[in-house]
Amino acid sequence: MDEVQHLLSSDPKAGSQYIADLELSKEQFNESQSSRFALYKSHSLLMAGDYQQATALLNNLLETNQSPDVKAQAYSMLAVIFASNSEFMNAFVNIEKARLMLNDLTDSRAIKTVLANAATIYTEVGFVDKAYEYSNSYLKEVSKAGLEKELCYAYFNSGNIEVQLQSYAKAKDYFIEASKNCKSSGQDLFFLLVSQELASINITGKNTKDSLKELELIQDKFRAIDWDIGEVNGLIKIADILLKLKKNEEAVKYAEKAFAAETTDNYFPHKKEATRILATAYSNLGNNDKAIEYYQLYIDTERQIQLQLKQRKMAYFIAMQSME
């Protein structure tokens, strides 16, 4: 059953199919195997965006299972689902419940799941200081066993946080380590994400065109995987390079595709970057009406991001008070 975890991070579709195959024989599982299967299935549903079924499975685990290791993982995964649905107070409460159980956990998988999910949540909500703390703890925990597939994600997560801190040299070091471990362990999804970030960081005046070609190749692979967030992220990075190369019409083509993507409307970082590029490119092309239209959308999105951050901070403080 451990193969499921590998597949979910390297080939989500294959992982989902493997889970469907395992479900046919789930009546033969012992209690430990049943719990592990439920956690993997919840993870698969979460990645597929089926939050309702994933939540039901996790809540059932919390009601029926007494293992601290299982409950901590379930709480941390519920926190990710709540954060994905912008229910931040519930996300903070659940990740705090999981964090408070860390000292009672005996399964290293449970410890790593809690730390990784905590780092993910606090990164997504813009609490970089707390994300940094959990990310470092996760990397230390993963380094004890030195499994390449776990180091892949741990280094990627650390690199992602350093990008937010604008510490690009350190981010590059982490991404290089992530790339090695993702490739050698067959974590295709994360290898593509890391390659995307490295290509973006490596852009200089001398190799801009090479970085552009690399990002376009990565984009083809994302389309094959059919993962919207990764594909939109690539569209934005390509559009930004084209803008720097003064290829404004091509930049518009990529940025408009990113802006029109279904996931962009609710994912403000992508919306902000797409509108910034479009406002600049249309201004360069002399289309002032379009430039003003997208600049206003950019300003509106920036305001929404700031409001969202204030709301998240308030939700965090309320959640912490409710835990006292």
Side-chain angles (χ1 to χ4, degrees):
M1 195 182 293
D2 286 341
E3 179 65 14
V4 178
Q5 189 171 22
H6 170 75
L7 284 172
L8 286 174
S9 54
S10 62
D11 188 340
K13 285 185 179 178
S16 178
Q17 182 57 53
Y18 194 14
I19 285 170
D21 293 342
L22 281 173
E23 192 149 19
L24 298 174
S25 55
K26 70 177 183 179
E27 299 301 325
Q28 301 170 26
F29 295 161
N30 59 35
E31 185 179 349
S32 175
Q33 289 172 328
S34 293
S35 299
R36 178 60 42 195
F37 174 75
L39 288 169
Y40 284 147
K41 184 174 180 180
S42 300
H43 181 74
S44 177
L45 290 166
L46 192 162
M47 290 186 73
D50 190 343
Y51 299 139
Q52 187 173 357
Q53 276 200 67
T55 299
L57 266 177
L58 293 168
N59 281 330
N60 182 62
L61 268 180
L62 289 170
E63 290 171 8
T64 60
N65 199 292
Q66 299 306 310
S67 165
D69 293 298
V70 172
K71 291 173 83 73
Q73 289 177 88
Y75 279 129
S76 75
M77 290 173 71
L78 276 174
V80 173
I81 292 171
F82 281 124
S84 299
N85 282 327
S86 299
E87 296 178 45
F88 294 107
M89 194 171 83
N90 286 330
F92 293 136
V93 166
N94 277 276
I95 201 63
E96 184 68 5
K97 285 179 179 179
R99 185 193 67 79
L100 290 171
M101 298 177 74
L102 277 170
N103 290 336
D104 299 323
L105 305 185
T106 57
D107 186 345
S108 64
R109 288 176 299 190
I111 295 169
K112 287 179 282 197
T113 298
V114 171
L115 292 172
N117 286 345
T120 297
I121 288 167
Y122 285 112
T123 299
E124 284 297 314
V125 301
F127 290 11
V128 185
D129 54 343
K130 292 192 74 66
Y132 194 84
E133 171 193 341
Y134 286 118
S135 181
N136 282 344
S137 296
Y138 176 59
L139 184 54
K140 287 177 185 175
E141 189 66 31
V142 165
S143 297
K144 290 177 183 177
L147 294 176
E148 291 172 332
K149 64 183 179 181
E150 293 179 343
L151 288 168
C152 158
Y153 177 68
Y155 278 120
F156 168 75
N157 198 54
S158 292
N160 192 32
I161 291 171
E162 295 296 343
V163 167
Q164 292 197 34
L165 293 169
Q166 297 184 338
S167 178
Y168 297 112
K170 198 167 183 181
K172 183 177 179 179
D173 290 340
Y174 279 132
F175 285 140
I176 288 170
E177 289 302 315
S179 181
K180 293 175 189 173
N181 285 284
C182 294
K183 187 173 184 178
S184 58
S185 60
Q187 304 288 81
D188 298 338
L189 183 59
F190 282 108
F191 179 72
L192 288 177
L193 287 169
V194 171
S195 300
Q196 204 176 54
E197 294 301 327
L198 276 172
S200 183
I201 289 174
N202 285 334
I203 293 170
T204 65
K206 294 179 180 177
N207 72 351
T208 303
K209 291 182 179 179
D210 290 339
S211 294
L212 179 60
K213 286 178 183 177
E214 187 175 351
L215 281 169
E216 287 171 341
L217 287 172
I218 294 167
Q219 199 67 5
D220 290 339
K221 293 175 182 177
F222 265 120
R223 277 193 289 271
I225 291 176
D226 192 25
W227 194 51
D228 289 346
I229 291 287
E231 188 175 343
V232 172
N233 195 49
L235 290 170
I236 290 169
K237 288 182 184 299
I238 291 169
D240 201 24
I241 294 177
L242 290 167
L243 190 65
K244 289 181 174 68
L245 292 170
K246 303 188 187 306
K247 295 184 177 182
N248 295 291
E249 290 182 356
E250 290 183 56
V252 163
K253 182 180 71 173
Y254 279 93
E256 283 192 333
K257 191 172 181 180
F259 180 74
E262 189 176 343
T263 58
T264 299
D265 199 43
N266 295 317
Y267 189 63
F268 291 149
H270 283 170
K271 192 173 184 179
K272 178 183 172 181
E273 284 302 292
T275 52
R276 175 187 64 81
I277 293 166
L278 285 165
T280 306
Y282 274 121
S283 177
N284 292 342
L285 290 167
N287 190 334
N288 292 330
D289 289 342
K290 282 284 189 181
I292 291 168
E293 176 189 342
Y294 281 111
Y295 182 68
Q296 187 58 57
L297 283 169
Y298 169 78
I299 294 297
D300 291 344
T301 305
E302 177 61 22
R303 285 177 183 155
Q304 288 176 299
I305 289 171
Q306 293 306 316
L307 177 61
Q308 192 180 66
L309 188 57
K310 288 178 183 177
Q311 291 171 336
R312 290 170 180 178
K313 285 181 178 178
M314 183 61 70
Y316 175 75
F317 291 128
I318 294 171
M320 293 305 101
Q321 286 177 351
S322 74
M323 298 291 293
E324 291 177 359

